[in-house]
C-alpha cells in the first residue's frame, strides 16, 4: 500500500474550499479539530501507509496495536481525504450541536478504536469461513468506518428523514445499508469490512449496550459535566472537549506501558 499523492492537490484544495464556504466560525471545535488532525497527518504522515494501516496480520498477530489509533487518521490519497472530511464536516456539525463537543469527542475516540477491532474480527471471520488467508492481510486506512458509525447516530437522532443514494430517495432507517452496498459497487477498492464495522459499532451505540458502557466509564459526575445538550450546559468549556480525548489517549498509553512491564504486546516507535 503506497500513498499516491501528498502535498497541496486538487482534492485538498476542494476540501479547503468547502471548509471556507461553511466558515471556520460555524464549525464546532471538535469537528474542526478532527478535520485539522486528518489534514495535518495527510500532509505529514506518521509513517508510510504500510506501517499505519490495520489488518489481522499486522495488528493482531504481530501485536502492533498502535495501528488501531493511527489507521483511521491516515488516508490513501487526496480524494480519499476529501470525501471523508466533507462527510465529517456535515455529520460533525449536526452531531456536535446535538450531543455537545465533549461527548462527540468521546464518541470519536472510542469509535475509532472499536471499529478497528470489529474490522479485524470481520476479516478474521471471512478468512476462516472462506478458507482464504488473504483476508487477514488486507490492510486498511481512513476515517470512513467512523463516518458510517456517525451516520447511524445521525439517522437515529433524526428519524423519518430520507437520504439520496445514487439518485434514489432512501429512508434514513435503511440508508446506511444501501450506501454500504452502493459504495462497494461503485468503488470496489473500498473496504467493505471497514464500512460494515462502522455500521455495527453505530448500532452497538444506538440499540446496543455501548452507550450505557461509555456513560459508566465516563462516570456519572463527568458525564453530567459533558455537554450532551449544549443548550442545557452553556457553561461547558470548549477546552474540555479537547482534554477528554487527550485524556483517553494518555490512559491507553499508560495501559500499554503497564502491559509492557508484564511482558505484554510491544508497539512500534512512531
Amino acid at each position: 500500500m503506497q500513498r499516491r499523492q501528498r502535498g497541496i492537490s486538487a482534492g485538498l484544495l476542494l476540501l479547503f474550499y468547502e471548509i471556507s464556504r461553511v466558515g471556520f466560525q460555524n464549525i464546532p471545535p471538535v469537528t474542526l479539530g478532527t478535520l485539522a488532525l486528518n489534514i495535518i497527518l495527510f500532509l505529514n504522515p506518521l509513517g508510510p501507509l504500510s506501517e499505519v494501516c490495520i489488518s489481522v496480520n499486522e495488528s493482531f498477530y504481530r501485536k502492533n496495536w498502535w495501528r488501531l489509533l493511527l489507521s483511521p487518521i491516515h488516508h490513501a490519497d487526496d480524494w480519499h481525504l476529501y470525501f471523508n472530511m466533507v462527510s465529517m464536516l456535515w455529520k460533525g456539525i449536526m452531531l456536535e450541536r446535538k450531543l455537545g463537543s465533549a461527548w462527540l469527542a468521546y464518541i470519536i475516540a472510542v469509535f475509532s478504536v472499536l471499529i478497528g477491532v470489529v474490522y479485524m474480527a470481520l476479516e478474521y471471520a471471512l478468512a476462516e469461513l472462506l478458507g482464504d488467508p488473504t483476508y487477514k492481510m488486507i490492510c486498511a486506512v481512513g476515517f470512513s468506518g467512523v463516518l458510517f458509525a456517525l451516520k447511524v447516530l445521525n439517522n437515529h437522532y433524526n428519524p423519518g428523514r430520507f437520504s439520496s443514494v445514487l439518485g434514489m430517495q432512501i429512508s434514513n432507517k435503511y440508508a446506511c445499508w444501501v450506501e454500504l452496498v452502493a459504495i462497494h459497487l461503485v468503488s470496489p477498492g473500498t473496504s467493505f469490512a471497514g464500512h460494515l464495522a462502522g455500521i455495527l459499532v453505530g448500532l452497538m451505540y444506538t440499540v446496543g449496550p455501548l452507550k450505557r458502557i461509555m456513560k459508566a466509564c465516563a462516570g456519572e459526575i463527568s458525564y453530567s459535566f459533558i455537554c450532551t445538550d449544549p443548550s442545557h450546559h452553556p457553561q461547558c468549556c470548549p477546552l474540555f472537549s479537547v482534554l477528554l480525548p487527550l485524556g483517553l489517549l494518555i490512559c491507553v498509553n499508560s495501559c500499554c506501558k503497564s502491559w509492557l512491564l508484564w511482558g505484554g504486546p510491544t508497539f512500534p516507535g512512531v
Side-chain angles (χ1 to χ4, degrees):
M1 181 183 291
Q2 295 181 345
R3 185 179 296 275
R4 295 182 221 167
Q5 195 171 14
R6 190 185 301 172
I8 302 300
S9 50
L12 200 56
L13 289 174
L14 280 175
L15 176 57
F16 287 141
Y17 169 75
E18 291 291 339
I19 294 172
S20 64
R21 191 167 65 87
V22 175
F24 288 97
Q25 71 280 5
N26 298 319
I27 305 175
V30 170
T31 300
L32 186 60
T34 302
L35 297 175
L37 176 63
N38 281 270
I39 292 171
I40 290 170
L41 289 180
F42 175 74
L43 295 172
N44 299 282
L46 296 177
L49 290 183
S50 60
E51 295 180 8
V52 298
C53 62
I54 186 173
S55 70
V56 176
N57 274 0
E58 294 296 335
S59 304
F60 181 69
Y61 288 144
R62 297 186 180 180
K63 311 299 182 185
N64 293 324
W65 300 111
W66 275 114
R67 291 174 184 253
L68 288 169
L69 297 175
L70 300 180
S71 60
I73 49 179
H74 286 80
H75 290 82
D77 56 47
D78 57 324
W79 291 110
H80 188 202
L81 177 74
Y82 168 76
F83 287 114
N84 278 355
M85 292 302 100
V86 168
S87 180
M88 177 61 205
L89 177 62
W90 296 110
K91 290 180 177 67
I93 289 174
M94 290 186 288
L95 285 172
E96 195 161 349
R97 288 173 179 170
K98 176 70 178 179
L99 302 175
S101 296
W103 193 252
L104 179 63
Y106 186 25
I107 284 174
I108 291 174
V110 172
F111 281 16
S112 295
V113 175
L114 188 55
I115 287 168
V117 174
V118 175
Y119 166 77
M120 288 192 292
L122 290 172
E123 293 287 22
Y124 182 89
L126 283 172
E128 294 299 316
L129 289 173
L130 301 178
D132 186 354
T134 58
Y135 284 101
K136 297 179 182 180
M137 295 182 282
I138 297 175
C139 220
V141 293
F143 207 68
S144 54
V146 178
L147 293 172
F148 265 89
L150 295 182
K151 185 173 183 63
V152 173
L153 267 63
N154 192 44
N155 293 345
H156 173 75
Y157 290 116
N158 297 281
R161 295 186 180 182
F162 289 81
S163 298
S164 178
V165 182
L166 298 179
M168 300 180 293
Q169 292 298 310
I170 307 294
S171 169
N172 275 357
K173 186 176 182 180
Y174 308 107
C176 287
W177 299 105
V178 176
E179 284 188 26
L180 174 68
V181 176
I183 290 176
H184 188 64
L185 292 176
V186 174
S187 302
T190 56
S191 175
F192 183 87
H195 296 166
L196 177 58
I199 293 177
L200 295 178
V201 170
L203 291 174
M204 289 180 197
Y205 184 92
T206 55
V207 299
L210 181 56
K211 183 178 180 180
R212 293 192 297 273
I213 293 172
M214 288 174 63
K215 285 184 180 181
C217 290
E220 290 302 324
I221 295 177
S222 60
Y223 179 72
S224 65
F225 180 71
I226 294 174
C227 300
T228 53
D229 185 346
S231 63
H232 294 166
H233 300 275
Q235 77 283 3
C236 191
C237 176
L239 179 60
F240 188 72
S241 307
V242 179
L243 293 179
L244 179 61
L246 288 177
L248 288 172
L249 293 179
I250 292 172
C251 180
V252 170
N253 185 45
S254 299
C255 292
C256 292
K257 289 180 178 178
S258 298
W259 293 346
L260 286 172
L261 291 175
W262 290 96
T266 57
F267 303 87
V270 178

